[in-house]
Structures are given as C-alpha cells and as structure tokens.
Amino acid sequence: MPLPDGSEWVAKHLQILVAMLAVALVAAVPLSHAESTSDEDTFDLVIANGRVIDPETGLDDLRSVGIRADRIAAISRTPLRGRAVLDASGLVVAPGFIDLHAHGQDLPAARMQAFDGVTTALELESGRLPLPVAYERVALEGRPLNYGFSVSWLFARIAEKEAMEPDGSITFFQDAQRRTGWQHTLASPGETSRIIARIEQGLQDGALGIGILAGYAPGHGRKEAFAVAQLAAKYGVPTFTHARYMSVIEPQSSFEAIEEIVSLAAATGAHMHINHLNSIAVRDIPRIAELLHGAQGRVLRITTEAYPYGAGSTVVGAELFRGNWRERLGGASAGDIELAGIPFDDSTLAEAQEKTPGEWIVAHYLRPDRSAVDQDYLDQSVLFPGGAIASDGMRWTLNGEVITGDVWPLPPEAFAHPRSAGTFTRFLRDYVLERKRESLREGLRRMTLIPAQILEASVLQMTKKGRVQVGADADLVVFDLATVSDRGTYTQPNQTAVGMRYVIVSGVPVIRDGALVRDALPGRPIRRPVATANF
Ligand SMILES: [Zn+2]
C-alpha cells in the first residue's frame, strides 16, 4: 500500500504528531494510588464488585472500578453508578495482558488473542519496515487490541543484501526464504552503514525498539550486531533478539548466542531483551539461566520472556533445521516437526525444505508431555525470575494460505501454533491454578506489569498500562479463575480460550459475556513520538 502524497501526507503526519503529543502530555501526569470513594458521579462503565488485583501496588481485594472514557477514574470499596455496569461478582479483575511478541498482526489473530485476555499485542521480535506503512495498514483495518511494532533489523539486512524492498508486512520475510545469501554472508562496511541507516529511519518513525531475528541470519558479523546495539543505546530503546544459534553443542551454541547478547548489553549499555527463552535455550536452560542471573546481578539491562509450550513454530526452511540439527537440538528427529499436525519423516522434510521453505511448521524442541526433565526445562524458562509471558503468536492459515480480513469465526480447520490462542490462559491454568508454581498476583505480574516495564523507559504510553490504578488506561480483563483455560492443541489449535468474561480495551468491551463483540475496534497504536525533522 503506497503512502499518500503531498498535502495529504503532511496532514496525516501532523495528525499523528498531535496525537503523540497528547499521549505524552497525559502520560506525564503521575498515576494516583489514592482511591476514590465518591459515588456521586456517574461513570461511563462500572465493573462492579470484582476481586481487583493490581500487581504494582499489591491491591487484591473486592472493589468496583469506574471508567470514564478510556481511563480508570475510580477504584472504590463502595458501589459506583455507571451508565453501564458489568457484574464482576466472583470474578478476578486485572490489567489486560500485554503481549510483547505477537506476529499475527491481523484481525483473525487479534480476535483469537482477545479470548486469551490480551489487550495489547506488539510485534517486537521481528518488527517491520517501513514503519509508517505497517502502522497505517493496521489503522485502516482497525483492531480490537492495541498494536505496535519495532523496526526490523532483518528486513533492513535482506533489503541491502538481496535488493528486495520491504513492504511493511511479514510476507516479505516469508518470500525472502527462497534466497539464502542474506542468511550467511557478512555485510560490508558500506552495507552495514546502510542497514543501520534504514533501522534509524524506523526509530525516527516511532518504532518501539529494534527487532533482531539473529537466528534467521546466523552468518551476520559480530561488528554488525554491535553497531545495531550501539544504535539502540543511542536512542534509548530496547532490542528484541531471537538469538543467533539454537544448539546444546558448542561451538555456535545457544549458550554462546546468549553470551553475545550479554556482551552487547555490557559494551553498549543497550537494553537487550531475549525472546522466547523456552525455545532458544532448548535443553541447556540451567547453564543459560545461570549466565543470565549473573549478568542481571551486574546490573546489565537484560530481560526475557517465554511461552508455556514445548514446541515452537517457524518456517520449514529455517537455518536451524539444516546440517547436524538433530544433534544440536539435543536429540531431535524429523518426527518432531509437524505440518498441520502431521509429523514429517526425513524424506518429506527434505522435500519441504527444498520446495516450500516459507511454509509454517510446528517443531517440538522439548517434550514436556513425555519427559519430566523436559517439563523442568520448560518451567525454568517460563518461571525465570522477572521474565514476561509472551506468546510468539502466529497468523492463522487455511491449507497454507493466511486468513486475513474480517473473517469470523475462523473455519474449523484454520491452523496456527496453539500459543496463538492460549498462551496466557494456559499459563494461568497450568502454572497458577493446577500446579501452583506461582501465586495469582505474581503470575499476573508476568503478563501485565513486567511487559509494561520492559517498554516504559522509552515508551511513555506503557506507564499507563499493566496496572489497575486511578489514571491508568482502562485495558482490563475480568475472568473466572475456576474455569480460565486454553483449549487449542497442536492438532486442533483453532479453539478459543475460555474463562474471560470481559476483555476491555480503552474502556470498550471487545469480549462481553464471554463472546466476541465483532464490531468493537478500540485498539490504538503504541508508538514512540515520530521525529519532527521532516516537518
Ligand atoms: Zn523467534
């Protein structure tokens, strides 16, 4: 989709600038922890008599929440009057879940995530380029959830190495799988500076950080990675890295890849966020956890996230399934990789790698269903102290074709990794309710406050999210603790999560009485201020 030109373009960007200034002004007002007990005012929406949990202040008690427009205006022990009142008796009221790792930036994926309690779904690991096109495409279609993007290092690298122009969509990445030069070759000094310039443009266009899909181009140079981290430090934004290697065997091990990230944080001061610790660490998590604890103890800015599944999802042509990959993943086989629920064998895998390298598959890196040791490895990643829960959720496909547009419900055979529909409710069910590995408040913290804090030093909007406090954004979930659960499986992923009675974005229910409000599109862009140098 081309940008509009001339005066229309300037007007559009002035609009964005004014909106960002408004956000910045509102965000500059500190949150109040005081509670209003006034019942004289009528609120636009009241969530009455729920168990309100705020992970930051420690509030965990019966309250009514009064919402005015898109903000929480009161939190009260006594009843509040509202033009609309939602009864939350017997239900938990918590901040909406913030997903830092949502690849499915379209309507079907967002709706599936709404059932999972997500109110903000950000694409930070891959990111996009160019940024204005990515934001504008979503704004034109509308979203139930808040959305936003990092700028993609990999898109910039592919553009320079292959002379392909990115179009702001993830399809660009899939198309690039047909070529391999960008995966293995070093960038010349000239190429590196042009890659950096493209990324810098993305940051000036309001990107939330730099997405670094290092593992998809593991042959890139250390100096290139260093330059990217230096740029992040210069702009004070986080990087989001899918680490370079995925292997228990040295050299080129997961351990080495995480060590590189630690060294970049130390040398540049950049905030380095490590994506999906569960899948990147494979069966080496105990040593990698030690490495990360050590680095964090020395006050390096390193954060991480995980999703509660032993399988990942990627394209079948990915570099990590080449060479001695079975050994490197600690004893994997072609049968650990599935296409739409059907496992490969050696010959069908080789064929798919050659003929359809851009096809999305599910790969079981850990087998928690078969091995207590693997379950423990997964738990160490998911429960890493201070880590966020993030879905790595994907787009939904039908017979290999992506489902886009206003399609609902999705056709029964629609396919994606089940994390795309159940990451957050699965974590609640499995880790909090059933196995009681973490308290409800601590579990909620991983899905709300921690992801907000990972971004808020550079993204002012996030200071108002991940909290149930007066002045915070009215992004809320209201759920039944007894029944909240994921339902999707690897073979039948297309099953919405259950237990979310209401999911509210900017004061507007997108899930009401457990059902999707199809025409509710209150999602807003999350974006750093756009540089004004062009005006
Ligand atoms: Zn990844």
Side-chain angles (χ1 to χ4, degrees):
M1 183 198 59
L3 284 171
D5 19 66
S7 57
E8 202 187 333
W9 188 89
V10 172
K12 179 84 192 168
H13 284 73
L14 274 173
Q15 253 179 28
I16 293 169
L17 177 67
V18 169
M20 294 307 299
L21 281 173
V23 165
L25 284 173
V26 174
V29 180
L31 293 181
S32 160
H33 293 183
E35 298 188 353
S36 161
T37 51
S38 162
D39 63 353
E40 289 172 16
D41 295 321
T42 301
F43 296 92
D44 295 328
L45 178 66
V46 168
I47 302 168
N49 217 23
R51 176 183 169 191
V52 176
I53 300 181
D54 177 50
E56 188 168 54
T57 59
L59 173 65
D60 181 354
D61 208 349
L62 290 184
R63 293 285 189 279
S64 287
V65 178
I67 294 167
R68 201 165 275 131
D70 54 1
R71 302 261 158 181
I72 296 174
I75 300 172
S76 170
R77 287 188 175 86
T78 54
L80 298 172
R81 222 173 26 229
R83 274 179 274 281
V85 178
L86 305 178
D87 180 15
S89 305
L91 304 173
V92 173
V93 180
F97 305 153
I98 297 167
D99 189 359
L100 299 178
H101 194 152
H103 295 304
Q105 292 290 330
D106 48 36
L107 270 175
R111 285 168 170 165
M112 290 301 271
Q113 288 211 282
F115 282 93
D116 203 22
V118 175
T119 53
T120 298
L122 307 174
E123 160 61 287
L124 301 179
E125 184 208 45
S126 163
R128 292 285 191 275
L129 198 71
L131 259 291
V133 181
Y135 274 100
E136 217 157 304
R137 187 176 286 141
V138 179
L140 282 175
E141 190 177 43
R143 279 294 176 276
L145 316 182
N146 302 312
Y147 57 91
F149 303 94
S150 66
V151 54
S152 176
W153 160 76
L154 195 68
F155 282 30
R157 183 169 225 274
I158 293 168
E160 286 305 322
K161 299 297 279 183
E162 303 290 344
M164 290 170 69
E165 258 331 289
D167 63 353
S169 85
I170 196 80
T171 314
F172 172 76
F173 166 74
Q174 278 174 277
D175 292 344
Q177 298 298 322
R178 300 202 167 274
R179 311 183 189 195
T180 55
W182 56 271
Q183 299 174 5
H184 305 294
T185 55
L186 296 175
S188 67
E191 284 171 335
T192 302
S193 60
R194 288 194 295 277
I195 290 168
I196 294 298
R198 282 178 184 264
I199 300 171
E200 185 156 15
Q201 182 61 53
L203 293 175
Q204 290 177 359
D205 287 335
L208 301 175
I210 305 174
I212 306 178
L213 283 174
Y216 289 86
H220 69 281
R222 301 299 167 112
K223 293 177 205 171
E224 183 181 341
F226 182 58
V228 175
Q230 281 181 312
L231 182 68
K234 176 178 158 192
Y235 276 78
V237 296
T239 60
F240 301 88
T241 305
H242 175 133
R244 193 191 282 264
Y245 308 125
M246 194 169 156
S247 168
V248 295
I249 299 170
E250 295 186 295
Q252 301 191 341
S253 64
S254 303
F255 188 87
E256 181 183 329
I258 302 293
E259 231 178 25
E260 182 187 16
I261 293 170
V262 169
S263 87
L264 291 173
T268 66
H271 172 178
M272 307 294 292
H273 179 83
I274 297 164
N275 291 111
H276 47 53
L277 185 62
N278 56 303
S279 66
I280 215 70
V282 277
R283 295 183 166 99
D284 227 356
I285 180 65
R287 267 168 295 209
I288 287 172
E290 264 185 80
L291 173 65
L292 291 178
H293 283 310
Q296 290 178 326
R298 285 160 186 79
V299 207
L300 297 185
R301 297 172 73 196
I302 296 175
T303 53
T304 190
E305 56 165 63
Y307 55 85
Y309 294 83
S313 183
T314 185
V315 287
V316 72
E319 170 64 22
L320 74 103
F321 304 127
R322 308 274 181 179
N324 63 337
W325 67 275
R326 294 166 184 79
E327 202 185 336
R328 292 171 64 78
L329 292 182
S333 72
D336 289 327
I337 306 177
E338 298 171 357
L339 177 63
I342 300 165
F344 284 102
D345 58 35
D346 285 339
S347 76
T348 52
L349 178 63
E351 192 184 332
Q353 285 173 318
E354 195 196 322
K355 292 189 178 156
T356 53
E359 192 133 53
W360 295 103
I361 50 83
V362 166
H364 295 266
Y365 308 125
L366 296 173
R367 288 286 189 175
D369 49 333
R370 300 178 187 174
S371 153
V373 175
D374 277 9
Q375 179 70 64
D376 182 53
Y377 288 154
L378 180 59
D379 292 350
Q380 287 189 47
S381 296
V382 172
L383 300 172
F384 186 82
I389 299 298
S391 76
D392 200 356
M394 316 294 292
R395 307 176 89 185
W396 290 82
T397 61
L398 186 62
N399 304 322
E401 294 295 315
V402 175
I403 305 168
T404 56
D406 186 9
V407 178
W408 194 265
L410 300 184
E413 327 78 70
F415 193 82
H417 187 299
R419 68 193 181 200
S420 315
T423 290
F424 295 87
T425 47
R426 181 184 181 87
F427 174 74
L428 273 176
R429 174 184 61 74
D430 183 14
Y431 285 83
V432 174
L433 298 176
E434 291 180 359
R435 290 194 289 135
K436 301 193 185 335
R437 296 298 307 267
E438 205 153 62
S439 71
L440 178 58
R441 197 206 300 167
E442 288 308 303
L444 288 171
R445 174 188 288 268
R446 288 185 186 276
M447 305 190 282
T448 58
L449 186 65
I450 288 175
Q453 288 174 331
I454 285 170
L455 281 171
E456 69 188 18
S458 56
V459 185
L460 221 46
Q461 283 167 287
M462 298 309 288
T463 61
K464 300 290 190 190
K465 298 201 179 293
R467 286 110 167 150
V468 188
Q469 294 169 25
V470 173
D473 289 341
D475 294 348
L476 296 161
V477 288
V478 182
F479 62 92
D480 178 3
L481 194 55
T483 60
V484 71
S485 181
D486 61 311
R487 292 191 303 163
T489 62
Y490 294 114
T491 47
Q492 290 185 302
N494 179 16
Q495 301 183 71
T496 52
V498 290
M500 289 291 152
R501 188 76 57 83
Y502 303 104
V503 176
I504 294 162
V505 176
S506 293
V508 178
V510 298
I511 300 286
R512 180 188 278 272
D513 296 320
L516 180 76
V517 183
R518 189 165 170 174
D519 59 354
L521 300 170
R524 296 179 181 180
I526 309 293
R527 194 168 178 176
R528 289 170 44 261
V530 175
T532 53
N534 295 336
F535 295 102

